[in-house]
Amino acid sequence: MISVQKYAIKGSVIKDIDLFRLKDHYMSIFISEKLKKAMEKNGITGCDYLEVKVV
């Protein structure tokens, strides 16, 4: 079985939230661009980032 998932997040729902998971999607953690930049600035490694469309 092949499964393709492409996420789109409603900006009006997440507003100023920097870290969250979607209900029933425990493997994916979503972070804001602000948090991503802070993690990179502080030398946090071991993360892979994929851009998600905000609508």
Side-chain angles (χ1 to χ4, degrees), residues 1 6 17 20-21 32 36 42 44-45 49-50:
M1 173 183 244
K6 186 172 184 177
I17 298 171
F20 65 94
R21 286 187 172 154
S32 65
K36 179 182 178 277
N42 287 285
I44 296 173
T45 61
Y49 305 102
L50 299 173

Side-chain angles (χ1 to χ4, degrees), residues 18-22 25-31 35 48:
D18 292 315
L19 177 78
F20 65 94
R21 286 187 172 154
L22 299 178
H25 290 265
Y26 302 108
M27 295 299 290
S28 299
I29 298 172
F30 296 86
I31 64 171
L35 181 55
D48 291 319

